Amino acid sequence: MKTTEPPAPVPAVPGVPVAKADSPGGPPPKEKKEGTTLNVFSHGILVIWAILVVLPLLWAVMTSFKDDNSIFSSPWALPDKLHFDNWARAWTDANMSDYFLNTILVVGGSLIGTLVLGSMAAYVLARFDFPGNRFIYYLFVGGMSFPIMLALVPLFYVVNNMGLLNTIHGLILVYIAYSLPFTVFFLTAFFRTLPTSVAEAAFVDGASHTRTFFQIMLPMAKPGLISVGIFNFLGQWNQYMLPTVLNTDPDKRVLTQGLVQLAASQGYKGDWSGLFAGLVMAMLPVLAAYIVFQRQVVQGLTAGALK
């Protein structure tokens, strides 16, 4: 009759921990949550920042539906009823419709021109190595640091000598020149992150440089184009200094000039409800553009880091 003996214990090796038998009755080890305090602090800061940003916007929208008496008697209360006549009065009597149309023409034309010219220049600077490449690139970078205030007087005389003063297309050209440095700087870094194998395959198939750029590389750069387009749209839509100096014709004013004129007239008419309605009108396109393209903006900003 054979007996089974328990195996001999393995001798302990110095410096190597010996595994202990599982104890069924022991409590499971507790996992420490790292960064809980930091997460609570950062989320609290974000909540406070969101409140500081959203509350003034909501208050402006709410005030645009009040009458003048309610604005001063109960500024924080909800309107007793929705006064849509404020919006109609601002749209017609304050000529906001004309200012809105002029702004759309100027910003739309300048945005298209900026993206087309900026993307072409950025593609050449990012993909082709030629003498003076870095010098031209740093010229565009230096243009971002040049304050526009110093160029207003010579810019006025240049535009006037070209016969473009008080014209829509003259303001479009100035907006394009004003937005090109940042656009070239942004898109140059973005085009460098795109794979070169796709363009090389197009060249092997017989595609020209123009066809490769417009049909292959430009669609691949769509997130970057949308991101820089949103930034340029915000800057051009809210631009006040350039149209004030270069566009003195009352019939060709843009929204920022019209809002300043509407605010200046409040000392005589007291139409504060119409002023808030005009402010909300000027604010809505910017909010709508960012809400629609917010995902593409984030993708364009992070594409270079992810690749």
Side-chain angles (χ1 to χ4, degrees), residues 59-72 79-91 93-94 96 259 262-263 265-267 269-282:
W59 182 78
V61 174
M62 179 185 66
T63 307
S64 65
F65 291 102
K66 291 183 177 181
D67 56 3
D68 293 335
N69 294 330
S70 300
I71 292 176
F72 291 98
D80 52 355
K81 66 176 182 177
L82 300 179
H83 295 270
F84 290 100
D85 57 320
N86 299 337
W87 290 63
R89 191 168 60 254
W91 186 258
D93 297 346
M96 293 297 294
L259 289 176
L262 184 60
S265 64
Q266 301 312 304
K269 297 181 181 179
D271 189 9
W272 296 100
S273 56
L275 174 62
F276 277 99
L279 290 173
V280 176
M281 287 181 187

Side-chain angles (χ1 to χ4, degrees), residues 121-259:
Y123 177 74
V124 172
L125 293 176
R127 293 290 179 173
F128 297 95
D129 190 11
F130 56 90
N133 181 300
R134 304 305 296 173
F135 177 73
I136 297 175
Y137 173 74
Y138 286 124
L139 281 180
F140 280 108
V141 175
M144 294 190 302
S145 61
F146 191 81
I148 193 63
M149 294 290 296
L150 298 180
L152 287 178
V153 175
L155 184 62
F156 175 85
Y157 285 105
V158 169
V159 174
N160 189 26
N161 292 334
M162 296 177 63
L164 300 176
L165 197 64
N166 298 327
T167 59
I168 296 295
H169 53 281
L171 203 57
I172 290 176
L173 293 177
V174 174
Y175 276 22
I176 292 175
Y178 173 76
S179 305
L180 268 181
F182 173 74
T183 303
V184 173
F185 170 76
F186 187 96
L187 291 180
T188 300
F190 192 87
F191 275 118
R192 288 173 180 167
T193 63
L194 299 181
T196 58
S197 58
V198 180
E200 293 174 354
F203 292 143
V204 172
D205 292 339
S208 62
H209 289 286
T210 303
R211 184 176 180 182
T212 302
F213 172 72
F214 283 104
Q215 295 187 359
I216 298 176
M217 303 305 295
L218 202 61
M220 293 175 61
K222 182 180 177 181
L225 291 173
I226 293 178
S227 298
V228 75
I230 291 295
F231 289 125
N232 284 328
F233 175 75
L234 295 177
Q236 294 173 3
W237 187 272
N238 297 323
Q239 182 60 243
Y240 173 71
M241 188 63 64
L242 289 176
T244 301
V245 176
L246 305 176
N247 186 26
T248 57
D249 190 354
D251 296 332
K252 298 178 181 178
R253 288 174 178 168
V254 295
L255 266 178
T256 51
Q257 294 175 286
L259 289 176

